Amino acid sequence: MKFGDIPVEDSAGSLLAHSVRTSAGKIRKGQRLTAALVQQLQADGIANITVAQLDSDDIHEDEAALQLATALAGEGLRLGKASTGRVNLHAQTDGICDFERTLVYQANLVNEGITIATVHPSTSVGKSRLVATVKIIPYAVSKNALQQVLAGLQGRQIRVHATVPQRAALIQTRLPGMRESILDKTVGVTRQRLLKQGAQLTSERRVSHDVDELVRAMSDAVEGGVDWLLVAGASAISDRQDIVPSAIVRLGGQVEHFGMPMDPGNLLLIGRLGNTSIIGLPGCARSPKPNGLDKVLERLSARLPVSSGWIASLGVGGLLHEIVDRPEPRVRGTGNLGVAALVLAAGSSRRFGEHNKLLATQTGKPLLTHVLDAVGHSGLDSALVVTGHDAESVEQLCQIADQRASLPISTVHNALHASGMASSLICGIGELGEAGVDAVIVCLADMPEVTASVMQSLLAAYRLNPGKALYIPTYQGQRGNPVLIAASLFDSVLRLEGDVGARVLARDFPDCVQEVPCDSAGILKDIDEPSDLQPTMAAS
């Protein structure tokens, strides 16, 4: 293919490389120049034009894209119209889009002008969803290059395997003292998880965490005629000789794979008894949050094999998010550093005027000092102040407060403070999480009426009921600040963006919130403008 500027009078039959506006309207790029269009360009005084001219060995972008898309499209896919060198592939049904990852990689290596982009293999897709696109970059490619790509496919295609309704049974084992509410919640979560896959929970049974009882329950469930048998052990499966896999073997079934390179979801087991797939559930399956179990159910719902090779392939991209209500949070600290205060003092206080509001005095001392003094008498283990705007002045106040506080006060600078509160939270949580703290109390530096007793109340609630992850003070039913965030939520904090804080976490994880009633209205009061300053203050 030849590409470049030529005289307009020689351009008939060429492809216009760049759109051109004429007195008669716009001629779009890629359009073949007819004699009439050439006359229009000449009439407008255009002497030269940039075009693409195909050689005898070239194939037009639309034709090349259509040939490649046709070869790629397997079962469950339909092709869109070829236009501007692109053809899209859409799912014809709800199902799993599956293909060999190397198929795309190898095709994209042949020629830089020939590209294929897809969703990830084993992705759950809905009807009509775009799952792949073929795009020819230049206006034409050589027939030889296209044939190399087509030959390299070797009959391999992208397919969407339709989901098929499945019937599932759930068996839960229990130990003495295990709360029924946990088992009840697991039933509800499992039912909803199955519905997402078009499957139905047809029965649920609870037995002691004993091989003999489990064998009898599993045998009854399989005889009842189910496609999937889900087993949630009172204790997570830790070995192929554990209770759940032992029960499968005793029934004459096979343990096909134990363990999964997805987190959450590591301790998942796949087995089979006749035509029934048996899934030993990981502990995270009691949570509705996405985990490795979802990927397995998606694949089984399309009647695709869950092989060891497929499971191994899940490692790349298999690191998911933290689940805050798992029994043993992965990111809990050692306990040696306990609970720290995180003071957000990086803002530019634009609404306050020219001066940094954190330096404004109230009852004889700067606003930030009020907060630092409250932190210093809170009984916490340490404090970290995030600086940003006017960092030098803020650090000086921190150094003074550190000398009289009963805990160490350090600082960390947030270079991205202008992007919003989330960046300061991420900066501070990242530092404290790396240190191994168990929780933080996030304090806003412009709330001088927050007392040490409020922080002590949050700390007491956390220690009394460590099963929650977000502790929020309330005054007469209204939620305020500061808030205590347990380490199990740190991963979620690190995903925040913009000018948002703990309010978003409370929305996303409502079941993990504990409200802590306080008798101080100061948890509702922040300083935004000079008129907000008060002549008197509550004692800290």
Side-chain angles (χ1 to χ4, degrees):
M1 183 180 72
K2 300 182 179 68
F3 186 95
D5 286 357
I6 63 172
V8 168
E9 60 265 25
D10 298 331
S11 65
S14 302
L15 302 178
L16 183 63
H18 307 296
S19 298
V20 175
R21 291 191 178 277
T22 71
S23 57
K26 183 178 181 180
I27 306 176
R28 298 187 178 278
K29 66 177 183 178
Q31 188 168 346
R32 192 173 298 276
L33 294 174
T34 63
L37 290 175
V38 170
Q39 291 178 0
Q40 181 61 55
L41 292 169
Q42 291 175 320
D44 286 352
I46 299 175
N48 292 285
I49 197 77
T50 305
V51 299
Q53 296 177 315
L54 274 60
D55 293 326
S56 59
D57 185 46
D58 289 330
I59 183 169
H60 187 270
E61 56 178 344
D62 287 349
E63 176 59 27
L66 184 59
Q67 285 192 32
L68 180 52
T70 300
L72 281 172
E75 173 189 351
L77 286 173
R78 63 173 176 82
L79 302 184
K81 181 181 178 182
S83 177
T84 64
R86 183 184 302 279
V87 176
N88 292 329
L89 287 73
H90 296 266
Q92 288 183 312
T93 181
D94 297 340
I96 300 297
C97 182
D98 209 27
F99 55 92
E100 295 179 37
R101 189 181 297 269
T102 55
L103 175 156
V104 177
Y105 173 71
Q106 292 169 354
N108 284 331
L109 281 177
V110 173
N111 184 286
E112 64 184 13
I114 302 174
T115 67
I116 303 169
T118 70
V119 298
H120 283 289
S122 294
T123 293
S124 178
V125 298
K127 183 179 180 179
S128 299
R129 178 175 169 180
L130 174 66
V131 299
T133 185
V134 174
K135 172 63 178 174
I136 305 301
I137 304 298
Y139 291 110
V141 293
S142 71
K143 296 175 183 177
N144 181 58
L146 179 61
Q147 286 304 315
Q148 286 186 55
V149 175
L150 294 173
L153 296 181
Q154 297 177 336
R156 296 177 295 170
Q157 294 181 306
I158 301 171
R159 295 180 173 87
V160 172
H161 302 269
T163 55
V164 179
Q166 307 280 328
R167 299 171 70 249
L170 172 65
I171 298 175
Q172 298 190 76
T173 69
R174 54 187 170 192
L175 293 168
M178 192 171 185
R179 298 196 305 273
E180 289 295 317
S181 60
I182 294 177
L183 305 180
D184 293 340
K185 178 184 176 182
T186 303
V187 175
V189 168
T190 302
R191 180 175 284 111
Q192 291 302 313
R193 176 167 271 124
L194 292 172
L195 286 175
K196 292 179 181 178
Q197 309 303 333
Q200 180 183 4
L201 182 62
T202 58
S203 67
E204 185 255 337
R205 185 169 171 180
R206 303 173 187 185
V207 299
S208 297
H209 194 60
D210 173 82
V211 173
D212 292 333
E213 286 205 33
L214 184 55
V215 166
R216 287 192 290 270
M218 292 173 63
S219 177
D220 291 344
V222 172
E223 288 178 6
V226 293
D227 302 294
W228 305 340
L229 176 54
L230 313 181
V231 183
S235 178
I237 304 169
S238 58
D239 190 87
R240 276 180 169 260
Q241 308 304 314
D242 213 334
I243 287 179
V244 175
S246 295
I248 295 173
V249 173
R250 187 179 296 185
L251 280 169
Q254 300 85 38
V255 176
E256 297 179 334
H257 194 92
F258 172 55
M260 190 176 198
M262 294 194 78
D263 188 15
N266 289 147
L267 302 181
L268 183 143
L269 179 144
I270 298 292
R272 177 163 290 278
L273 180 58
N275 294 323
T276 302
S277 295
I278 303 176
I279 307 173
L281 302 184
C284 60
R286 298 188 189 275
S287 167
K289 299 297 180 182
N291 58 72
L293 173 61
D294 295 290
K295 295 298 293 184
V296 170
L297 294 182
E298 286 174 358
R299 194 162 179 87
L300 289 176
S301 70
R303 294 186 174 172
L304 291 171
V306 180
S307 64
S308 294
W310 175 79
I311 291 175
S313 73
L314 298 176
V316 177
L319 180 60
L320 306 179
H321 55 75
E322 180 60 47
I323 290 181
V324 299
D325 53 358
R326 64 170 65 203
E328 297 292 336
R330 289 168 296 160
V331 292
R332 289 265 312 174
T334 62
N336 296 329
L337 298 177
V339 180
L342 176 60
V343 182
L344 305 184
S348 58
S349 58
R350 289 187 294 270
R351 293 170 59 186
F352 196 81
E354 297 180 0
H355 304 290
N356 185 350
K357 68 179 176 182
L358 300 186
L359 308 181
T361 58
Q362 181 157 261
T363 63
K365 59 183 180 182
L367 297 183
L368 176 59
T369 300
H370 283 286
V371 176
L372 295 177
D373 285 350
V375 167
H377 295 87
S378 63
L380 299 179
D381 298 284
S382 64
L384 178 67
V385 181
V386 181
T387 68
H389 173 71
D390 198 10
E392 185 176 347
S393 298
V394 171
E395 288 176 1
Q396 289 177 355
L397 290 180
C398 293
Q399 292 170 5
I400 295 171
D402 180 51
Q403 295 174 4
R404 59 173 179 265
S406 60
L407 52 76
I409 299 176
S410 58
T411 62
V412 61
H413 183 67
N414 174 21
L416 303 176
H417 63 89
S419 65
M421 183 187 297
S423 66
S424 290
L425 265 174
I426 290 170
C427 182
I429 291 293
E431 190 87 2
L432 293 170
E434 185 71 20
V437 300
D438 290 327
V440 299
I441 293 182
V442 180
C443 305
L444 305 183
D446 62 353
M447 298 187 68
E449 293 190 46
V450 169
T451 64
S453 63
V454 171
M455 301 180 205
Q456 291 164 358
S457 296
L458 292 171
L459 185 59
Y462 167 69
R463 288 174 173 167
L464 184 64
N465 182 18
K468 298 295 183 179
L470 193 62
Y471 301 77
I472 304 177
T474 63
Y475 176 74
Q476 296 182 352
Q478 295 187 66
R479 291 181 174 182
N481 284 292
V483 298
L484 186 150
I485 304 176
S488 56
L489 264 182
F490 285 1
D491 185 63
S492 297
V493 172
L494 297 177
R495 297 169 182 267
L496 295 177
E497 296 180 348
D499 196 27
V500 299
R503 193 179 301 260
V504 173
L505 299 177
R507 180 199 67 195
D508 291 345
F509 304 101
D511 292 340
C512 296
V513 173
Q514 178 171 325
E515 294 186 342
V516 182
C518 298
D519 59 3
S520 172
I523 67 170
L524 306 176
K525 300 177 182 179
D526 61 349
I527 305 298
D528 290 324
E529 301 174 354
S531 60
D532 294 330
L533 294 171
Q534 301 296 325
T536 59
M537 287 287 297
S540 62

